[in-house]
């Protein structure tokens, strides 16, 4: 019965989800406190109190047919104006509401942008390791995703290989920084160099190559690290932002697409993206939570908890002999597997009730991802297990 295009998706149904289910099974047997689940990127820091207050105030103060009604497919204009103002204040930009389209999270934003841009057979480039859902998103519009092999010394993109991979069919590039799964933040030099390459290659191939910046982790950066605002480095940049992590609202499904005026044919692109939002079936982003965003544009989840988690987990793993880049953002550690086959290493971890995700789930075998958006206590309790695992691997 099911479509051919769906069959590989059903077959390869997410390893991360499978690990999560395994965690629940183990918790049922050994008790939740004896299972250390580091598999999912589900924020454990609560949403700011201001979110709940805003929901209550909206329901009390704003007219219900308005709050729960349809609006422009791009989203409420006052919501987009509030976001544009906040961005302009922070990044000295000059965005206006028309540059923004409210979306059902970054996942929907990426789909809308790819639907807007891709003809069948168009190529999209990304950098391994990457969020594997990009494969499905690109395939949704009959595009072809190519991944540049990782530079495992720094996990900054390999720009030399990137420049060589661009061809006539290249329509877009997807980057994600702070990165899932490495936690690496792409530096100013990286983004600036990337912009130069894209400018030059766009001229060479005779059409604009669009840089799609997938930014669910933009606000999750530590040690005061600089996170470049990508539209400033390359004119044909489109941002897909999400409040899933910055406000701990992943289930509410809210984010936006930002298409600056500097993008080639921006008016046409914006118009097409608004229509893509409608015909993809979302129609518009959820209404109540859009109104909440208008009141909460300056709010952030408490990322200090993640930073504290990162510090404890990173320093402990390094002490036990594991090797790993110190992440500067997001809430993931990407640890080198001490066993050649990282899936076998994940199995060994599971024997100690530690659940981590194989790097092959991010097109980067030989590593595992550890999500530290968990309680500090879980990390503390898991440390003896990590120490034993290190011992069994001869570290
Ligand atoms: N992009 C990356 C890199 C992610 O890690 C995620 C979610 O974890 C998404 C996109 C999707 O985010 P959203 O919940 O906003 O759809």
């Amino acid at each position: 019965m099911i479509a051919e295009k769906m069959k590989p998706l059903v077959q390869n149904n997410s390893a991360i989800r499978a690990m999560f289910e395994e965690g629940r099974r183990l918790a049922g047997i050994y008790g939740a406190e004896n299972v250390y689940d580091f598999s999912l990127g589900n924020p454990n820091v609560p949403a700011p109190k201001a979110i709940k207050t805003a929901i209550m105030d909206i329901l009390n103060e704003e007219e219900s047919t308005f709050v729960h009604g349809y609006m422009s497919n791009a989203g409420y204009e006052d919501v987009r104006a509030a976001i544009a103002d906040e961005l302009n204040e922070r990044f000295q930009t000059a965005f206006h509401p028309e540059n923004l389209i409210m979306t059902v999270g970054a996942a929907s934003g990426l789909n809308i942008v790819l639907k807007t841009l891709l003809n069948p057979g168009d190529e999209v480039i990304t950098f391994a390791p990457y969020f594997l859902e990009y494969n499905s998103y690109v395939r949704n519009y009959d595009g072809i995703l190519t991944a540049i092999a990782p530079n495992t010394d720094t996990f900054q993109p390999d720009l030399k290989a990137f420049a060589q991979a661009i061809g006539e069919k290249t329509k877009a590039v997807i980057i994600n920084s702070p990165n899932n799964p490495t936690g690496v933040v792409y530096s100013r030099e990286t983004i600036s160099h990337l912009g130069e390459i894209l400018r030059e290659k766009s001229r060479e191939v005779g059409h604009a190559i669009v840089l799609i910046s997938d930014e669910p982790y933009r606000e999750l950066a530590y040690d005061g690290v600089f996170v470049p605002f990508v539209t400033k480095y390359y004119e044909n940049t489109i941002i897909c932002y999400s409040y899933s992590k910055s406000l701990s609202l992943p289930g509410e499904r809210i984010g936006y697409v930002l298409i600056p005026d500097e993008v080639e044919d921006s008016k046409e692109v914006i118009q097409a993206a608004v229509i893509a939002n409608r015909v993809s079936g979302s129609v518009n982003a959820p209404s109540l939570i859009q109104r909440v965003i208008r009141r909460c544009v300056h709010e952030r989840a408490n990322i200090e908890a993640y930073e504290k988690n990162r510090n404890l987990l990173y320093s402990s793993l390094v002490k036990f002999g594991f090797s790993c880049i110190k992440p500067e953002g997001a809430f993931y550690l990407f640890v080198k597997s001490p066993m050649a086959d990282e899936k076998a290493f994940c199995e060994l971890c599971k024997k100690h009730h530690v659940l981590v995700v194989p790097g092959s789930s991010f097109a980067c075998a030989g590593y595992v991802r550890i999500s530290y958006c968990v309680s500090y206590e879980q990390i503390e309790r898991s440390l003896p297990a990590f120490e034993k695992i290190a011992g069994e691997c001869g570290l």
Side-chain angles (χ1 to χ4, degrees):
M1 174 69 96
I2 68 167
E4 289 305 319
K5 230 172 159 179
M6 281 306 297
K7 286 182 182 163
L9 295 185
V10 173
Q11 237 157 35
N12 305 326
N13 199 9
S14 170
I16 303 177
R17 280 269 150 199
M19 198 60 87
F20 177 67
E21 297 302 335
E22 180 65 6
R24 288 165 65 110
R25 191 185 70 81
L26 291 175
I29 303 171
Y30 302 105
E33 68 287 1
N34 298 313
V35 177
Y36 318 113
D37 188 349
F38 296 98
S39 61
L40 266 195
N42 203 3
N44 73 312
V45 166
K49 282 208 179 72
I51 299 288
K52 183 174 170 189
T53 309
I55 292 173
M56 311 292 259
D57 289 351
I58 290 163
L59 294 179
N60 285 321
E61 291 164 15
E62 298 185 23
E63 211 220 310
S64 88
T65 50
F66 172 68
V67 172
H68 303 303
Y70 284 126
M71 82 296 302
S72 148
N73 297 138
Y76 288 107
E77 183 163 353
D78 61 340
V79 177
R80 291 181 283 125
I83 296 168
D85 287 348
E86 197 261 345
L87 291 172
N88 294 339
E89 208 176 286
R90 272 169 82 195
F91 301 112
Q92 293 76 54
T93 44
F95 300 127
H96 46 90
E98 288 70 31
N99 296 125
L100 290 147
I101 301 163
M102 302 307 293
T103 62
V104 181
S108 174
L110 287 162
N111 271 277
I112 288 162
V113 171
L114 292 166
K115 187 172 179 63
T116 300
L117 297 177
L118 296 188
N119 285 313
D122 279 349
E123 288 171 12
V124 178
I125 298 179
T126 195
F127 298 93
Y130 66 96
F131 184 55
L132 227 51
E133 295 284 270
Y134 294 163
N135 285 323
S136 305
Y137 300 167
V138 170
R139 211 177 303 127
N140 282 344
Y141 310 101
D142 298 317
I144 298 160
L145 185 75
T146 309
I148 306 297
N151 164 5
T152 53
D153 291 339
T154 61
F155 284 110
Q156 294 282 327
D158 178 345
L159 294 182
K160 212 166 158 194
F162 169 61
Q164 283 164 3
I166 297 174
E168 304 250 304
K169 280 289 197 182
T170 307
K171 189 66 191 276
V173 177
I174 305 178
I175 56 169
N176 165 231
S177 165
N179 183 263
N180 174 11
T182 63
V184 163
V185 175
Y186 293 178
S187 67
R188 190 198 306 261
E189 293 67 37
T190 296
I191 298 295
S192 162
H193 191 185
L194 191 79
E196 280 162 26
I197 293 172
L198 283 173
R199 209 166 284 127
E200 192 186 313
K201 289 286 176 181
S202 294
R203 262 196 305 272
E204 223 172 278
V205 299
H207 64 258
I209 301 170
V210 178
L211 179 58
I212 303 171
S213 184
D214 175 26
E215 303 189 356
Y217 304 97
R218 187 200 297 152
E219 326 298 353
L220 275 66
Y222 314 117
D223 303 329
V225 66
F226 177 73
V227 181
F229 193 71
V230 184
T231 66
K232 302 206 137 188
Y233 298 82
Y234 181 57
E235 48 286 2
N236 284 305
T237 297
I238 296 180
I239 289 179
C240 298
Y241 183 83
S242 164
Y243 294 96
S244 293
K245 325 285 169 167
S246 61
L247 287 175
S248 290
L249 294 173
E252 297 299 343
R253 314 303 305 132
I254 187 74
Y256 61 76
V257 164
L258 171 67
I259 305 173
D261 290 340
E262 291 74 19
V263 167
E264 192 175 300
D265 300 329
S266 67
K267 282 206 166 64
E268 192 187 18
V269 176
I270 292 167
Q271 189 188 19
V274 172
I275 294 170
N277 198 20
R278 190 181 82 223
V279 302
S280 68
S282 306
V283 181
N284 56 251
S287 157
L288 174 60
I289 205 71
Q290 278 194 56
R291 308 244 27 93
V292 170
I293 297 298
R294 191 185 73 76
R295 294 180 183 229
C296 297
V297 277
H298 296 285
E299 294 291 333
R300 301 281 180 269
N302 172 23
I303 71 158
E304 278 167 28
Y306 298 135
E307 188 164 5
K308 200 172 151 208
N309 285 356
R310 175 199 69 157
N311 293 345
L312 175 63
L313 196 55
Y314 173 77
S315 60
S316 305
L317 293 183
V318 169
K319 192 173 76 193
F320 302 149
F322 290 102
S323 60
C324 166
I325 290 256
K326 187 171 186 184
E328 291 178 311
F331 38 48
Y332 307 108
L333 280 166
F334 205 51
V335 179
K336 191 162 172 44
S337 167
M339 296 162 76
D341 175 2
E342 99 272 10
K343 286 187 179 149
F345 176 66
C346 290
E347 287 303 313
L348 172 66
C349 290
K350 217 191 294 177
K351 285 197 187 122
H352 294 270
H353 306 170
V354 172
L355 302 179
V356 297
V357 180
S360 42
S361 296
F362 304 92
C364 189
Y367 288 79
V368 295
R369 187 191 76 172
I370 304 181
S371 296
Y372 56 82
C373 45
V374 298
S375 71
Y376 191 76
E377 292 69 36
Q378 174 177 320
I379 297 176
E380 284 181 319
R381 276 188 275 111
S382 72
L383 293 181
F386 276 114
E387 193 164 14
K388 274 194 212 136
I389 294 166
E392 284 184 32
C393 292
L395 296 178

